[in-house]
């Protein structure tokens, strides 16, 4: 209703007529969804008003008009600066947890989270809040303190055979957030029979693995992309109820070049940077 705080996640439009959209999984729209940022509006089945030639600028816009279907209600009392990353990192981690049964809290699972960055730490928080045993997985032991402070019970160094061996065949689900080419064999070895490795990292280069590792334990390798609108509302409400928020730092536009450089050179903080546009505009006046 008028006066509510609302948000728009990564999706601001889809066809709304295909079977997948009808299931509430708009991110898998058969006709393709429209990104909130840096994308043109669709020529067909478009639900975005205004000039059809003006592309979407997301959070860099002064104002935005969005079809009500794609609006997420932000609960009263939720910090807006922390709500934004939930609409991206939060739903990206919640979606595979939900699809592979982790939001059914009647059964306690053993869940591995690979990559202890902005996505991974959010995944650890969510999986732990759902009551599961969470194992953080990284290529070194540098982030063990960060991982355990977010709710991980155990920690595996994927390049250490002994460390991997301690979790061999114990995990039901592994969510891999790493976006650079790497060896996924250690993760596969840690899965139980019928376990699943979910890839989120959007790695363009082909990745290799031994098929026998899959065949002998009926292991699956899958992918997951953001999440639909109903699931996005679900994770926002869950985070508010359980006081689960991403680790953020408010920044101004003048800091962006430095931040981008730092992220490229050494993304070790697991912090989500949130751009304060209002303050940035005030500073530049």
């Amino acid at each position: 209703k008028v006066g509510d705080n609302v948000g728009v996640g990564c999706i601001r439009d889809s066809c709304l007529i295909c079977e997948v959209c009808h299931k509430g999984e708009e991110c898998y729209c058969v006709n393709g969804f429209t990104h909130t940022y840096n994308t043109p509006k669709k020529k067909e089945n478009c639900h975005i008003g205004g000039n059809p030639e003006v592309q979407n600028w997301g959070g860099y816009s002064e104002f935005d008009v969005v079809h009500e279907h794609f609006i997420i209600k932000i609960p009263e009392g939720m910090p807006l600066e922390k709500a934004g990353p939930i609409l991206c990192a939060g739903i990206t981690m919640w979606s595979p947890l939900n699809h592979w049964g982790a939001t059914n809290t009647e059964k306690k699972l053993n869940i591995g989270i690979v990559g202890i960055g902005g996505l991974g730490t959010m995944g650890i928080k969510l999986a732990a809040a759902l009551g599961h045993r969470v194992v953080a997985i990284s290529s070194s032991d540098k982030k063990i303190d960060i991982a355990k402070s977010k709710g991980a019970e155990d920690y595996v160094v994927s390049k250490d055979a002994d460390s991997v061996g301690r979790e061999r065949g114990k995990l039901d689900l592994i969510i891999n957030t790493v976006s650079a080419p790497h060896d996924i064999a250690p993760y596969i070895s840690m899965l139980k029979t019928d376990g699943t490795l979910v890839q989120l990292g959007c790695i363009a280069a082909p990745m290799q693995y031994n098929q026998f590792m899959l065949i002998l334990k009926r292991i699956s390798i899958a992918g997951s992309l953001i999440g639909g609108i109903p699931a996005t509302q679900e994770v926002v409400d869950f985070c508010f109820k359980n006081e689960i928020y991403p680790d953020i730092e408010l920044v101004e536009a003048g800091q962006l070049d430095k931040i981008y450089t730092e992220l490229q050179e050494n993304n070790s903080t697991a912090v989500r940077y949130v751009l304060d546009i209002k303050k940035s505009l005030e500073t530049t006046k």
Side-chain angles (χ1 to χ4, degrees):
K1 64 182 186 294
V2 175
D4 284 344
N5 286 325
V6 298
V8 182
C10 300
I11 308 168
R12 66 172 312 197
D13 199 12
S14 68
C15 78
L16 296 181
I17 58 174
C18 71
E19 180 183 2
V20 183
C21 282
H22 285 169
K23 291 180 179 178
E25 296 187 331
E26 296 85 352
C27 59
Y28 301 113
C29 175
V30 172
N31 297 299
F33 71 90
T34 301
H35 285 270
T36 298
Y37 40 83
N38 199 30
T39 55
K41 299 172 184 177
K42 291 189 177 296
K43 302 299 182 183
E44 298 180 4
N45 299 315
C46 180
H47 305 94
I48 304 172
N51 186 344
E53 303 303 321
V54 176
Q55 73 177 55
N56 305 307
W57 294 106
Y60 294 101
S61 306
E62 184 178 357
F63 62 88
D64 205 1
V65 179
V66 181
H67 188 284
E68 62 183 358
H69 180 89
F70 297 92
I71 292 292
I72 306 300
K73 182 177 179 179
I74 307 301
E76 185 177 351
M78 174 177 271
L80 296 183
E81 67 275 16
K82 295 184 178 182
I86 296 173
L87 304 179
C88 184
I91 182 57
T92 299
M93 299 306 293
W94 179 266
S95 188
L97 289 169
N98 183 44
H99 184 77
W100 277 278
T103 54
N104 177 4
T105 54
E106 292 180 5
K107 182 181 179 182
K108 185 174 181 178
L109 302 177
N110 296 290
I111 298 175
I113 304 291
V114 184
I116 318 303
L119 275 178
T121 52
M122 197 65 194
I124 291 171
K125 292 177 183 181
L126 289 170
L130 288 164
H132 304 295
R133 172 178 171 257
V134 183
V135 178
I137 304 169
S138 187
S139 58
S140 75
D141 62 2
K142 293 179 180 178
K143 294 188 176 181
I144 186 168
D145 291 336
I146 292 177
K148 294 209 168 179
S149 71
K150 308 307 175 189
E153 291 186 32
D154 293 290
Y155 190 95
V156 168
V157 178
S158 59
K159 292 185 178 181
D160 183 327
D162 291 336
S163 183
V164 171
R166 286 192 286 273
E167 292 293 336
R168 194 176 309 280
K170 292 183 179 180
L171 304 183
D172 300 282
L173 175 68
I174 297 177
I175 302 176
N176 182 10
T177 71
V178 177
S179 58
H182 60 291
D183 183 14
I184 62 173
Y187 316 147
I188 297 173
S189 73
M190 288 186 273
L191 287 168
K192 292 180 180 179
T193 299
D194 289 328
T196 302
L197 169 63
V198 183
Q199 298 285 93
L200 302 182
C202 297
I203 299 168
M207 301 183 73
Q208 293 185 336
Y209 55 87
N210 187 326
Q211 291 191 44
F212 278 104
M213 296 182 75
L214 310 184
I215 293 169
L216 294 176
K217 291 199 291 184
R218 200 163 54 197
I219 284 170
S220 301
I221 297 178
S224 181
L225 176 67
I226 326 170
I229 300 304
T232 305
Q233 187 66 65
E234 220 175 70
V235 70
V236 168
D237 294 342
F238 179 84
C239 287
F240 180 64
K241 180 181 178 181
N242 294 278
E243 298 185 344
I244 299 169
Y245 295 114
D247 301 300
I248 68 150
E249 182 180 330
L250 277 172
V251 299
E252 296 180 37
Q255 299 172 259
L256 290 181
D257 286 344
K258 180 183 177 183
I259 289 167
Y260 282 133
T261 300
E262 289 177 353
L263 288 173
Q264 287 178 326
E265 293 177 351
N266 181 28
N267 184 13
S268 60
T269 62
V271 167
R272 288 271 163 174
Y273 294 100
V274 177
L275 178 60
D276 189 331
I277 293 180
K278 183 178 180 180
K279 192 172 181 181
S280 298
L281 291 172
E282 291 172 351
T283 302
T284 56
K285 285 182 180 179

